[in-house]
Amino acid sequence: MADIFSLILAFITTGLVSFLLFYVMLKQRDLATVETLEKKHKGGLKRLKKELKAAPWSWQNVVMSKWVAFGGGFYGVMAVLTYVAVELVEVVEFFTSEGSLFATLADLGFGDLINFFINSLMNFIIAVSWPIYWLKNITGYSPWVWFVVVYAAYLSGQFMAKNTANPYRH
């Protein structure tokens, strides 16, 4: 029973991340950017990375920047999902390590900030190599079952976002 629940959770979270990334992209970007991400034009991806770095700070730009840095598409969605999962676990562990949030904040020092930066870089490497991370952390079903479930969720999220938010649809 726990294995089927894990598959359902994987489908929902992957589909949700896919939906959100495509939704943000479709709502905030022009048709050329959408085509660049869908067809993975290398020159276009470089242009988009530069545009996102030069753009004013916003949550949409941060999310899009991470997704483009991870390559966009299915690989990018899974990398973003992995990055968020690993970061979330570490942030929760960090803030609960001292017993209370106030104690953690009171003991926060320069060394902690450096460690946070180093851990973020290490988590980026983990996210880029997401297949290895998930192969080590999945249980129960064959990796192929997991792959089919998360790829179907990716396609479902993309489909829902395109049919909800696509201003370029005729």
Side-chain angles (χ1 to χ4, degrees):
M1 186 66 169
D3 288 339
I4 193 74
F5 178 73
S6 296
L7 281 176
I8 292 169
L9 184 62
F11 183 88
I12 291 170
T13 54
T14 304
L16 182 62
V17 168
S18 176
F19 172 80
L20 290 173
L21 289 172
F22 277 98
Y23 186 86
V24 168
M25 175 187 66
L26 292 167
K27 279 296 194 190
Q28 303 299 324
R29 302 290 169 202
D30 59 8
L31 183 58
T33 301
V34 173
E35 288 177 356
T36 295
L37 284 169
E38 286 183 346
K39 296 179 180 171
K40 306 217 183 1
H41 295 135
K42 292 202 186 260
L45 288 173
K46 284 184 180 181
R47 174 192 52 81
L48 185 55
K49 283 181 189 179
K50 286 180 184 177
E51 286 177 11
L52 288 168
K53 283 186 179 182
W57 190 93
S58 72
W59 282 110
Q60 290 92 354
N61 287 343
V62 169
V63 170
M64 290 303 297
S65 177
K66 284 291 182 205
W67 191 28
V68 170
F70 289 132
F74 175 68
Y75 195 90
V77 167
M78 289 305 296
V80 168
L81 179 62
T82 304
Y83 185 78
V84 168
V86 172
E87 281 285 319
L88 186 62
V89 167
E90 287 188 1
V91 166
V92 168
E93 286 175 356
F94 176 76
F95 282 116
T96 58
S97 64
E98 300 292 327
S100 75
L101 177 62
F102 295 114
T104 301
L105 292 175
D107 290 341
L108 192 63
F110 186 70
D112 292 322
L113 295 176
I114 301 245
N115 285 338
F116 183 74
F117 178 74
I118 291 169
N119 283 342
S120 288
L121 288 175
M122 296 304 294
N123 292 343
F124 180 83
I125 293 169
I126 290 170
V128 170
S129 57
W130 64 263
I132 295 167
Y133 174 82
W134 290 110
L135 282 172
K136 287 181 180 178
N137 289 295
I138 59 171
T139 59
Y141 297 103
S142 162
W144 289 109
V145 172
W146 286 97
F147 177 79
V148 167
V149 167
V150 295
Y151 194 75
Y154 161 77
L155 292 175
S156 298
Q158 180 182 9
F159 177 81
M160 289 188 323
K162 285 181 176 180
N163 287 302
T164 303
N166 192 348
Y168 311 107
R169 185 178 50 193
H170 291 91

